[in-house]
Amino acid sequence: EIVMTQSPATLSVSPGERATLSCRASQNVNDNLAWYQQKPGQSPRLLIYGASTRATDIPARFSGSGSGTEFTLTISSLQSEDFAVYYCQHYSTFGQGTKLEIK
Amino acid sequence: EVQLVQSGAEVIKPGESLKISCQASGYSFTSYWIGWVRQMPGKGLEWMGIIYPGDSDAIYSPSFQGQVTISADRSSRTAYLQWSSLKASDTAIYYCARRRDWVQSWSYFDYWGQGTLVTVSS
C-alpha cells in the first residue's frame, strides 16, 4: 500500500507571502496526484489533478509540481480565503493534511 | 450542473443499523465511480471505497472491508453507504464524491457532496 506523507503538519504564513506545501509518496506514483482544500465546516474542494493541472475555477496563484515521489503545492500570494487544510491524494490514499494558518 | 446531495444528519445508538444516501444529478450517473470518504472529528480524510453504478462493482479499502456496504440504485441515481451495527467509533462526517478517471491514469474526486454527520451515542 502506498503511503502519502505531507509536511509540515502546520504552516504559518503571512497574507501576501508564498506558501509551499509538500507531499511525498512511498512509491513512484508518476503524476497521479491530486490536491484538495478544505475549510472549516465545508466539503473538500479539488484544486489540482495530474500533479500540476488546475481544476476548473481555481485561481492561478495555486500551482502544483512534481512527479514520481515528491510533490509540491505552491500558493504564490496568500489571500485570507486560502487559510485552510490541504490534502494530497493518490488513488485510495490521502495524506494526513497540512493546516495553513495565518502568521 | 453536477450535484451530489447527501441525506441529513443522523443520531444513532450503538448496535443499530443505518443507511445514508447520496443523490447525483447533472451527469451520466452510470459512467462515473462514486466514492465515500470518512472524516472523524478533527481528523483527516479517509478513503472508504467506491462503486461503479453502471455495473455495481464496488471496491473497498482494507480498513473498511466487511465494516460497511456500498451500493447504488440506477433508477434513483443514488449511492448508499450502510452499516449493520454501528459503534461509537463510527461517529464522523461521511462524504460522497464523484471520481474522474483519465486515460493517463489520473484519478481524483472532482465533485463532493455536502457531507452527512453520523453521531453514534447511547
Side-chain angles (χ1 to χ4, degrees):
Chain A
E1 179 187 337
I2 294 176
V3 176
M4 308 301 293
T5 302
Q6 293 185 240
S7 61
T10 304
L11 182 62
S12 300
V13 183
S14 300
E17 293 190 340
R18 174 188 298 257
T20 303
L21 290 67
S22 296
C23 176
R24 173 176 292 178
S26 61
Q27 302 174 39
N28 179 17
V29 300
N30 296 307
D31 60 355
N32 189 359
L33 191 284
W35 289 95
Y36 302 87
Q37 176 193 67
Q38 188 179 33
K39 298 179 182 179
Q42 296 186 17
S43 303
R45 177 175 72 146
L46 176 68
L47 296 176
I48 301 284
Y49 62 91
S52 61
T53 302
R54 276 191 304 277
T56 303
D57 295 331
I58 300 303
R61 65 180 181 273
F62 291 91
S63 62
S65 63
S67 66
T69 62
E70 300 284 344
F71 300 89
T72 300
L73 175 69
T74 301
I75 311 171
S76 60
S77 178
L78 279 163
Q79 307 297 303
S80 58
E81 62 267 28
D82 299 335
F83 293 95
V85 180
Y86 293 83
Y87 297 94
C88 63
Q89 180 213 9
H90 169 73
Y91 276 126
S92 61
T93 306
F94 288 97
Q96 79 278 22
T98 291
K99 182 179 181 181
L100 181 57
E101 63 177 28
I102 300 175
K103 186 175 183 180
Chain B
E1 178 192 9
V2 174
Q3 284 193 310
L4 298 173
V5 178
Q6 298 185 230
S7 49
E10 303 274 2
V11 180
I12 301 291
K13 289 182 168 50
E16 292 186 339
S17 63
L18 177 66
K19 191 174 189 177
I20 63 174
S21 66
C22 169
Q23 186 170 41
S25 62
Y27 72 97
S28 174
F29 181 64
T30 54
S31 300
Y32 294 82
W33 292 82
I34 286 185
W36 287 93
V37 176
R38 183 175 77 174
Q39 187 166 42
M40 298 176 75
K43 302 300 183 182
L45 305 175
E46 299 176 89
W47 192 99
M48 301 177 70
I50 53 174
I51 188 164
Y52 190 72
D55 60 8
S56 295
D57 184 25
I59 302 171
Y60 296 87
S61 161
S63 299
F64 292 93
Q65 180 83 48
Q67 307 305 307
V68 298
T69 301
I70 296 172
S71 60
D73 177 15
R74 288 186 290 275
S75 65
S76 62
R77 304 172 56 87
T78 302
Y80 299 96
L81 177 66
Q82 68 180 88
W83 297 259
S84 59
S85 180
L86 281 154
K87 305 180 288 292
S89 57
D90 293 316
T91 294
I93 297 173
Y94 294 87
Y95 295 101
C96 65
R98 188 184 82 163
R99 196 177 85 170
R100 181 78 188 271
D101 297 285
W102 290 72
V103 293
Q104 302 97 318
S105 297
W106 296 343
S107 179
Y108 51 88
F109 292 126
D110 58 354
Y111 289 92
W112 293 69
Q114 82 277 20
T116 295
L117 173 61
V118 175
T119 303
V120 184
S121 174
S122 55

